[in-house]
Amino acid sequence: MNDLIEIRWHGRGGQGAKTASLLLADAAFNTGKYIQGFPEYGPERMGAPITAYNRISSKPITIHSNIYEPDYVVVVDDTLLESVPVTAGLKTSGAIVINTTKSADYLKKVLKGYEGGIYTIDARKVSMETLGKYFPNTPMLAAIVKVSQIMSDEDFINDMKGSFKHKFAKKPEVIDGNMKALEMALKEVNKIQ
């Protein structure tokens, strides 16, 4: 792993991008990494575009700003592809992970020639099959772990079991579905050629 990995999340208010970035920070922290996980938003409402960030490192992190040149970008809502410059500053040595069912040709066109890795996952399908409702953040969390290889799939799944037991202590019935969503998502990420 590089000494510092920076991730920028693009989503809409209410889709859980902020929560996913915080869960990723916790999981990385539990593997002994130094972390930052924080959102950026003003008075936005449900459905408005939001941005969240992660920094993960094997060394102490001394930067305290937004991320302008991320290694990875996660797009939780593909409607943002045409309205937000999601690849701005994105390193070509990194990748973008998009929740979409749109064609490779469409994605290449809308990403305006981005030359790094392009990965997709149908987070709606994963979420509906495992949770019975549309919560894209859980599959997207697993997708970025898979693509970035911040930690092994096994370490990630084990950590999330503990995290979900704590997070959903008052709703233990949702833990199994969320775990299934993570496991399915790890297998459903596809690289666009």
Side-chain angles (χ1 to χ4, degrees), residues 1-11 16-31 33-40 50-76 90-91 95 97 137 140-146 148 150-151 156 159-160:
M1 181 176 131
N2 293 343
D3 281 343
L4 178 66
I5 291 180
E6 296 182 311
I7 301 169
R8 187 174 65 218
W9 296 74
H10 292 282
K18 175 186 130 185
T19 300
S21 76
L22 297 177
L23 285 169
L24 178 58
D26 286 346
F29 177 78
N30 291 336
T31 66
K33 304 290 185 217
Y34 293 91
I35 55 96
Q36 290 179 355
F38 55 98
E40 172 189 40
I50 69 112
T51 310
Y53 303 94
N54 288 110
R55 282 192 179 94
I56 301 168
S57 179
S58 55
K59 298 178 179 171
I61 301 170
T62 57
I63 306 165
H64 298 284
S65 67
N66 289 348
I67 294 171
Y68 301 103
E69 295 182 349
D71 298 288
Y72 299 95
V73 166
V74 181
V75 181
V76 181
L90 179 57
K91 295 174 184 165
V97 183
N137 62 334
M140 295 309 291
L141 172 60
I144 189 58
V145 168
K146 185 70 168 186
S148 67
I150 290 167
M151 65 190 76
F156 173 64
D159 185 77
M160 293 311 297

Side-chain angles (χ1 to χ4, degrees), residues 117-129:
I118 302 170
Y119 293 82
T120 63
I121 182 170
D122 184 350
R124 178 177 297 278
K125 178 185 114 177
V126 172
S127 181
M128 294 303 289
E129 284 185 23

Side-chain angles (χ1 to χ4, degrees), residues 62-137:
T62 57
I63 306 165
H64 298 284
S65 67
N66 289 348
I67 294 171
Y68 301 103
E69 295 182 349
D71 298 288
Y72 299 95
V73 166
V74 181
V75 181
V76 181
D77 186 323
D78 66 2
T79 64
L80 296 170
L81 293 173
E82 294 189 30
S83 60
V84 173
V86 295
T87 58
L90 179 57
K91 295 174 184 165
T92 56
S93 59
I96 186 166
V97 183
I98 308 165
N99 170 19
T100 192
T101 57
K102 296 202 179 343
S103 73
D105 288 340
Y106 168 81
L107 294 174
K108 287 176 184 175
K109 184 182 109 201
V110 78
L111 295 176
K112 298 177 174 86
Y114 173 66
E115 295 178 7
I118 302 170
Y119 293 82
T120 63
I121 182 170
D122 184 350
R124 178 177 297 278
K125 178 185 114 177
V126 172
S127 181
M128 294 303 289
E129 284 185 23
T130 58
L131 300 167
K133 291 183 179 171
Y134 183 45
F135 294 112
N137 62 334

